[in-house]
Amino acid sequence: MKPHLLLPVLLAGTFGAAQAQQTTPPAGKPEDTEVYKPVPPVVAPGKTSADPPADAIILFDGKNLDQWVSTENRDAPAKWTVGGGAFTVKKDQGNIETKRSFGSYQLHLEWRVPAGISGTGQGRGNSGIFLASIGKGDLGYELQILDAYQNPTYVNGMAGSIYKQTAPLANPARKPGEWQTYDVVWTAPTFTAAGGVGTPARVTVFFNGMLVQNNTVLTGPTRYIGKATYEQAHGPAPIKLQAHGDKSEPLSFRNIWLRELPAAAQ
Ligand code: MG
């Protein structure tokens, strides 16, 4: 057969197969695949996607840090500076974390690198959200916060990265001095009775409305040196914010809220 004759034959063959599929009567009724229960709960949404829906847990509403404690001493209040509807990292006070513990959740958080920030690379506006704090210091799974506006560094350590694991899919960073948003869906890891990993943690992140982590699988809690692996089984955990030890001017946060996700969503 000449090559130019082959295409019509192939097309006819494909069309014939599709016709055969369409004429095979489907088994059952349309109603067989309609699901009516359980009915999803009615939840009033926020005015905009940045505003908390009716079922959100408010972690910071601009007034105080009542929902937060010191990571080093969970009996002590979080002593970062509150003012102007936001709060600002106080580096000598160390990390802070939520009083409450969470499994899987949807989180909204806004952060701002101060205008006129100094420093370079990892030493320029460094903080982070530990999506599950599993101990003191920096133990946990870090979604990096850093000035990423014309501030090169290793890509799996830039803003929107899962630190030292997965680079963001894009860099939508705004200039220092402007507020930025993270919207996160965190699927907590599960562990077997023997302490092994049942299902690894997964995370989806929108950074200023852009998808930067797409259901990313985490290989373990963040590790500064070496490959991350799961070594410690844990349950629900607080969310922790990082007071990074660099010398640059501290970041601020505002409008933090969370919706707990049902176990079935895992
Ligand atoms: Mg950090």
Side-chain angles (χ1 to χ4, degrees):
M1 188 182 289
K2 290 181 182 174
H4 71 273
L5 293 176
L6 191 59
L7 189 60
V9 172
L10 283 174
L11 283 173
T14 308
F15 184 66
Q19 261 190 333
Q21 273 182 358
Q22 281 171 5
T23 53
T24 306
K29 306 185 293 294
E31 293 80 359
D32 293 345
T33 46
E34 295 172 0
V35 176
Y36 287 86
K37 286 185 178 178
V39 178
V42 173
V43 181
K47 199 171 177 186
T48 73
S49 59
D51 296 313
D55 65 349
I57 295 170
I58 309 298
L59 294 175
F60 181 69
D61 65 359
K63 298 191 180 86
N64 58 61
L65 286 171
D66 289 358
Q67 295 293 318
W68 301 79
V69 294
S70 159
T71 296
E72 291 310 300
N73 175 10
R74 285 188 49 86
D75 293 328
K79 289 184 182 159
W80 292 7
T81 310
V82 180
F87 65 87
T88 300
V89 180
K90 213 169 177 184
K91 296 194 183 190
D92 62 1
Q93 294 297 315
N95 295 347
I96 66 170
E97 62 189 34
T98 54
K99 279 183 183 169
R100 293 177 60 160
S101 290
F102 304 101
S104 298
Y105 57 78
Q106 171 188 350
L107 173 73
H108 175 88
L109 178 147
E110 300 178 17
W111 54 275
R112 183 182 61 189
V113 173
I117 182 87
S118 62
T120 59
Q122 294 289 311
R124 183 179 170 91
N126 196 331
S127 182
I129 308 171
F130 293 90
L131 300 162
S133 170
I134 55 171
K136 292 187 177 182
D138 286 351
L139 279 175
Y141 308 80
E142 185 181 7
L143 166 58
Q144 176 69 308
I145 292 176
L146 188 73
D147 178 22
Y149 185 81
Q150 300 176 353
N151 178 37
T153 185
Y154 42 95
V155 296
N156 61 350
M158 64 192 290
S161 69
I162 301 306
Y163 187 70
K164 292 271 180 100
Q165 292 192 33
T166 312
L169 295 168
N171 179 4
R174 301 189 204 280
K175 289 179 184 174
E178 297 183 20
W179 284 101
Q180 322 213 42
T181 62
Y182 274 169
D183 286 281
V184 180
V185 180
W186 170 249
T187 304
T190 62
F191 297 90
T192 64
V197 185
T199 51
R202 285 179 281 125
V203 71
T204 295
V205 180
F206 290 87
F207 177 9
N208 292 332
M210 284 176 60
L211 184 67
V212 294
Q213 298 288 340
N214 185 5
N215 205 24
T216 301
V217 174
L218 279 75
T219 60
T222 299
R223 202 177 279 180
Y224 185 47
I225 299 171
K227 294 234 177 218
T229 57
Y230 291 94
E231 290 180 351
Q232 177 190 343
H234 62 84
I239 294 168
K240 177 163 62 188
L241 300 179
Q242 186 182 45
H244 191 265
D246 69 81
K247 299 282 183 261
S248 69
E249 298 77 6
L251 285 87
S252 299
F253 295 87
R254 72 176 185 190
N255 190 20
I256 307 175
W257 52 263
L258 171 151
R259 297 180 62 242
E260 292 183 296
L261 298 179
Q266 297 180 19

